[in-house]
Amino acid sequence: QVQLVESGGGLVHAGGSLRLSCAVSGSIRKLNTMAWYRQAPGKQRDLVADVSSSGTTFYVDSVKDRFSIWRDDAANTLYLQMNSLKPEDTAVYYCDADLIRWGGVWSRREYWGQGAQVTVSS
């Protein structure tokens, strides 16, 4: 069974930094694109950043030059470094992974983590 477990969330003052990690476990053959999403109270879940299997990254405009996404495929782990945090960054952050897993046959599936709360105080 594949699991994504996030860690590193917390409470920080505006201007501070946090690093999120997402560890992927289970019978995995290949990790494709991995991403971070976030969902603020009363709002939809939105993409923050993603990184392809070749290392190509994408960031939404609101986090460019503040956030950095990268992956360690040897450790099946995804990271998000968040600097210069703002109160509007407050949300639950979710890890997302498109991968090939064993479930009787090798098949491609998408998995989500349970979420990590990030709260930025003003």
Side-chain angles (χ1 to χ4, degrees):
Q1 184 176 355
V2 174
Q3 285 188 311
L4 277 60
V5 178
E6 295 120 337
S7 60
L11 172 64
V12 65
H13 291 297
S17 298
L18 284 173
R19 178 179 294 184
L20 300 180
S21 300
C22 173
V24 184
S25 63
S27 298
I28 300 162
R29 183 173 187 176
K30 183 179 186 292
L31 290 169
N32 296 318
T33 296
M34 301 179 75
W36 289 98
Y37 285 74
R38 64 186 179 187
Q39 187 168 20
K43 296 190 176 181
Q44 66 180 24
R45 189 176 298 187
D46 291 324
L47 177 67
V48 175
D50 66 30
V51 55
S52 71
S53 57
S54 63
T56 301
T57 57
F58 168 81
Y59 299 91
V60 296
D61 286 346
S62 59
V63 307
K64 278 181 182 176
D65 301 323
R66 299 190 299 122
F67 290 12
S68 180
I69 186 172
W70 74 97
R71 54 196 286 170
D72 181 349
D73 284 358
N76 286 348
T77 303
L78 177 70
Y79 299 95
L80 184 70
Q81 177 68 39
M82 303 182 291
N83 299 326
S84 302
L85 282 161
K86 304 176 181 179
E88 51 263 44
D89 295 318
T90 295
V92 177
Y93 284 71
Y94 295 91
C95 171
D96 168 70
D98 176 79
L99 54 84
I100 298 174
R101 41 73 94 167
W102 177 257
V105 295
W106 290 109
S107 58
R108 184 175 180 177
R109 290 279 300 275
E110 182 180 22
Y111 287 86
W112 292 88
Q114 81 285 356
Q117 178 68 49
V118 171
T119 303
V120 185
S121 63
S122 57

